[in-house]
């Protein structure tokens, strides 16, 4: 089972008695960059869901959406989440839609803790830049309208996180610092 993950540190370092820390928020909020930085700082194991799903499928997220649709992608997210139930103490960065599925979140939380990296849709889109082309939900004629709609639909789920960080106003190093101290506090 552990051999099926490619993480920053061996999954064997993950301690199932401790809660996972999960970063949620819009595409472009910085979940992957911050997660990787926090894991490095705290010598914890980081998992980027989208990269892991791409590795397992041998396809990009855009290809998965294009060939089998969003529903199939959500099933892959669910299956990955299910596996993480048996582990703990990891820093997790699922895609932006993961948090809006209460059943899936409920597989890990409690005891996992959620941290919402809050940014405005405009900022998220700007930070994504050309990376937007790898986000099928945003490859539509009105990307700002799309990301605003995503936020409207997900706001409640994101805001139900255990902590909210105003990532809009802070540089990435500061966000990493704040998330790291929350992670230490949650032990
Ligand atoms: C999605 C966000 C993406 C990726 C997929 C769907 C979403 O991840 O999982 O394109 O529903 O918001 P990021 O949040 O890392 O961009």
């Amino acid at each position: 089972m552990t051999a099926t993950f490619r993480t920053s540190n061996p999954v064997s370092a993950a301690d199932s008695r401790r809660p996972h820390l999960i970063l949620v928020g819009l595409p472009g909020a910085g979940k992957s960059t911050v997660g990787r930085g926090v894991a490095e700082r705290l010598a914890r194991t980081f998992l980027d869901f989208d990269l892991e799903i791409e590795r397992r499928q041998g396809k990009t997220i855009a290809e998965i959406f294009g060939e089998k649709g969003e529903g199939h992608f959500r099933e892959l997210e669910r299956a990955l989440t299910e596996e993480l139930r048996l582990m703990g103490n990891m820093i997790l960065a699922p895609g932006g839609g993961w948090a809006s599925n209460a059943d899936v979140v409920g597989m890990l939380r409690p005891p996992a803790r959620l941290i919402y990296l809050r940014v405005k849709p405009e900022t998220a889109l700007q930070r994504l830049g050309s990376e937007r082309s790898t986000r099928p939900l945003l490859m539509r004629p009105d990307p700002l309208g799309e990301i605003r709609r995503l936020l409207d639909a997900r706001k409640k789920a994101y805001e139900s996180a255990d902590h909210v960080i105003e990532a809009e106003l802070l540089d990435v190093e500061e966000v990493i610092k704040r998330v790291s101290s929350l992670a230490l506090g949650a032990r």
Side-chain angles (χ1 to χ4, degrees):
M1 139 85 69
T2 53
T4 66
F5 286 87
R6 185 183 295 155
T7 51
S8 62
N9 273 327
V11 166
S12 53
D15 180 345
S16 61
R17 294 162 306 178
R18 290 185 164 155
H20 291 306
L21 200 94
I22 309 177
L23 299 175
V24 301
L26 287 173
K31 302 180 294 292
S32 300
T33 313
V34 169
R36 200 176 299 280
V38 171
E40 213 165 279
R41 229 179 136 100
L42 303 181
R44 285 172 68 173
T45 301
F46 173 66
L47 183 72
D48 181 311
F49 276 42
D50 283 359
L51 288 184
E52 180 66 10
I53 289 172
E54 288 185 332
R55 185 181 73 83
R56 291 180 178 195
Q57 300 300 307
K59 290 181 177 160
T60 64
I61 299 297
E63 285 167 346
I64 297 170
F65 270 69
E67 291 170 17
K68 297 204 170 159
E70 182 175 349
H72 179 68
F73 172 73
R74 298 298 170 201
E75 280 312 310
L76 297 173
E77 281 187 317
R78 171 188 289 274
L80 182 54
T81 308
E82 179 89 55
E83 291 177 46
L84 291 162
R85 262 181 146 152
L86 304 170
M87 301 169 193
N89 206 35
M90 292 166 71
I91 310 294
L92 305 177
W98 177 89
S100 60
N101 188 337
D103 283 358
V104 174
V105 174
M107 287 180 187
L108 300 182
R109 182 210 201 194
R113 304 184 64 84
L114 260 60
I115 299 185
Y116 173 26
L117 304 184
R118 180 154 57 196
V119 295
K120 289 186 194 140
E122 291 80 355
T123 312
L125 208 56
Q126 193 192 335
R127 289 192 189 167
L128 272 178
S130 61
E131 289 250 316
R132 179 168 72 84
S133 65
T134 64
R135 306 313 202 266
L137 297 180
L138 300 177
M139 285 311 283
R140 294 177 180 164
D142 173 20
L144 184 57
E146 294 297 339
I147 203 163
R148 282 185 176 142
R149 273 189 282 283
L150 292 180
L151 182 58
D152 278 351
R154 297 173 178 174
K155 205 171 173 176
K156 230 171 134 188
Y158 287 162
E159 289 183 350
S160 76
D162 300 281
H163 305 277
V164 179
I165 293 190
E166 301 300 345
E168 175 91 29
L169 305 171
L170 304 169
D171 67 34
V172 71
E173 281 309 316
E174 184 57 32
V175 178
I176 291 171
K177 256 196 226 161
R178 293 194 188 190
V179 174
S180 301
S181 33
L182 289 171
L184 289 173
R187 302 197 126 196

